[in-house]
Amino acid sequence: MEHSKEFCKKIAGMLSEYLDEELPPASCAEILEHMKDCPPCITFLESLRKSIELTRMATPEIDENPPVSEEFQANLRSFYESFRKKTS
Amino acid sequence: MEESLEQLLADIRSGKEGAFERFLTLIQGTVLSFGIKVCGGTADASDTMQDTLLTAFRSLPETDIRDASALKVWLYKVAKNACLMIRRKSKFEPKAKLSLEELLPESPHKMDHAIADWSNLPVNTVLKNEAVKTVRKAIRKLPTPYRLALVLRDMEQLSTKETAQVLNISEETVKIRLHRARLFLRKELEGSFARK
């Protein structure tokens, strides 16, 4: 199995698509074959997988009723009224 | 967000009582959360949310959107444009492009020591909170095109195709930007764990 620097970089370049299951089967097979015998690339893959997992956890906590400006409320009210007139 | 969107669209178009209020309740949290992720600050995000909702309310009844996915794409497009208008005014906008060469280790065979395998660390609450803080900071450092791809795909859970439609770019470009953004975050996390 090839483990040159360039080949490992080629594998690293495909890992996002691999994790997203968007790679063609031949490329997936190439990655799986390489991973059988390349611990550094396995570690790299796992660190990328963990980064994605942590990104999904990083959604900010938000106030369900965020403060809005008076101007926004007035605009919204005037929009409701004109829309109801059109549809009634 | 997809729950009952199609019915809601029909109700809005027919002028059904309470439809806009239901729409507002359903989407304001999503739009605000998206704004915080892209703009960084709550104040900018709140402005973004208000601009997005007003634009959406004005234009939605006139559009020919019929399904939930198209509505989702359209809404994120409106929100993204509002975010970009606000961010253009900011002097803190990162401008750099992300180079793949800089994001990958010089030699993957050196990675064993470089990474110290933080990805296998047990994620207890303290560690997780720290890591999540690092991720949030790193997202703010990303140049906007990469941040948008990452937020839409990994946080808002849009498909590659939907993300491409929101950003008006090809699916291939979405994949390239997403991969570089993820590599950037991975590198920031690695640096953060290496310092501990």
Side-chain angles (χ1 to χ4, degrees):
Chain A
M1 184 78 252
E2 191 178 347
H3 286 300
S4 68
K5 181 177 158 182
E6 285 314 308
F7 194 76
C8 288
K9 281 199 171 180
K10 180 193 161 191
I11 293 289
M14 299 194 286
L15 293 181
S16 270
E17 282 182 81
Y18 172 73
L19 291 171
D20 292 337
E21 300 178 0
E22 289 182 343
L23 267 188
S27 304
C28 285
E30 195 175 24
I31 290 174
L32 287 172
E33 186 60 31
H34 179 77
M35 293 287 174
K36 277 184 190 168
D37 194 23
C38 189
C41 282
I42 294 173
T43 305
F44 191 81
L45 173 67
E46 287 315 309
S47 68
L48 190 63
R49 197 197 304 272
K50 182 66 99 186
S51 304
I52 297 167
E53 195 186 307
L54 288 166
T55 304
R56 288 186 180 141
M57 289 178 188
T59 293
E61 287 170 10
I62 56 158
D63 187 343
E64 277 185 23
N65 296 300
V68 289
S69 68
E70 283 179 17
E71 188 193 354
F72 173 71
Q73 291 181 39
N75 280 335
L76 212 55
R77 262 196 306 274
S78 100
F79 173 76
Y80 281 150
E81 279 157 22
S82 65
F83 182 74
R84 287 217 179 93
K85 271 181 207 157
K86 257 196 259 174
T87 50
S88 60
Chain B
M1 196 177 97
E2 291 193 19
E3 190 195 350
S4 76
L5 270 181
E6 275 138 9
Q7 182 57 50
L8 204 46
L9 267 176
D11 290 350
I12 286 170
R13 290 208 173 92
S14 64
K16 193 170 178 182
E17 186 72 31
F20 264 114
E21 287 83 346
R22 276 164 50 216
F23 183 63
L24 180 69
T25 308
L26 192 67
I27 68 165
Q28 72 173 8
T30 303
V31 175
L32 181 66
S33 171
F34 175 76
I36 293 172
K37 290 164 201 159
V38 177
C39 298
T42 310
D44 281 353
S46 185
D47 289 347
T48 299
M49 180 194 75
Q50 294 175 44
D51 288 352
T52 304
L53 295 180
L54 283 174
T55 307
F57 285 153
R58 283 193 196 110
S59 328
L60 189 58
E62 319 299 332
T63 67
D64 59 357
I65 294 166
R66 290 280 174 268
D67 63 86
S69 175
L71 178 60
K72 200 161 70 169
V73 166
W74 181 78
L75 261 179
Y76 277 114
K77 217 179 240 191
V78 175
K80 177 217 44 169
N81 290 339
C83 280
L84 291 182
M85 288 303 289
I86 283 168
R87 284 197 69 87
R88 256 180 221 133
K89 294 174 195 161
S90 166
K91 56 185 173 185
F92 302 110
E93 169 63 10
K95 286 198 172 79
K97 274 195 165 186
L98 296 181
S99 135
L100 194 57
E101 283 299 309
E102 286 169 18
L103 297 170
L104 291 173
E106 194 185 322
S107 163
H109 295 279
K110 290 182 186 164
M111 286 192 301
D112 261 343
H113 302 296
I115 295 175
D117 205 2
W118 58 265
S119 59
N120 283 331
L121 286 171
V123 183
N124 63 34
T125 310
V126 177
L127 211 56
K128 195 181 86 183
N129 289 345
E130 279 302 304
V132 165
K133 268 189 209 167
T134 303
V135 169
R136 285 190 185 134
K137 269 191 212 161
I139 291 172
R140 285 202 287 274
K141 287 190 206 167
L142 279 169
T144 305
Y146 301 91
R147 185 182 323 113
L148 282 166
L150 183 93
V151 167
L152 289 167
R153 285 286 287 114
D154 285 349
M155 300 178 98
E156 303 298 311
Q157 311 279 304
L158 265 63
S159 68
T160 301
K161 187 179 174 187
E162 288 169 336
T163 304
Q165 288 169 343
V166 172
L167 301 179
N168 205 20
I169 55 178
S170 69
E171 291 185 35
E172 210 42 52
T173 306
V174 170
K175 288 177 187 178
I176 291 168
R177 289 184 188 172
L178 177 65
H179 188 49
R180 291 183 188 192
R182 285 172 173 175
L183 289 174
F184 179 82
L185 258 55
R186 195 206 72 80
K187 203 173 176 187
E188 292 284 309
L189 279 160
E190 180 187 298
S192 159
F193 277 93
R195 285 193 292 275
K196 292 191 191 316

